[in-house]
Amino acid sequence: ITLSDYSSVFPPMLDDSAISDYAKDAVYALAGNGVINGMGDGSFAPTGSLTRAQAAKIIYSIMSSMGLTEIAE
């Protein structure tokens, strides 16, 4: 999903102008695929810090989409 695809389905993030141009396609692709979902108030907080829980969710979501979440016994 690209920025234009995402924007045609979902409203832009409230702080869209604070997201660097080079990162917008990646941010909206991740959001469109459910990997990230912003801060809950419609913002993305691109200048904020990422918590360990947020990082773990992103990593798990990406690994899940690749089928890499099964634990070998």
Side-chain angles (χ1 to χ4, degrees):
I1 186 167
T2 64
L3 174 56
S4 60
D5 293 336
Y6 183 92
S7 297
S8 67
V9 178
F10 301 101
M13 294 184 187
L14 295 176
D15 53 357
D16 179 78
S17 62
I19 302 170
S20 297
D21 288 337
Y22 73 87
K24 280 188 182 184
D25 280 337
V27 167
Y28 281 101
L30 290 170
N33 287 301
V35 174
I36 59 173
N37 55 14
M39 301 307 291
D41 63 356
S43 69
F44 177 66
T47 59
S49 297
L50 188 68
T51 67
R52 282 181 276 189
Q54 291 167 326
K57 188 232 184 232
I58 291 168
I59 293 166
Y60 182 81
S61 294
I62 292 170
M63 288 179 67
S64 254
S65 72
M66 298 172 69
L68 299 174
T69 56
E70 295 295 320
I71 298 174
E73 293 185 30

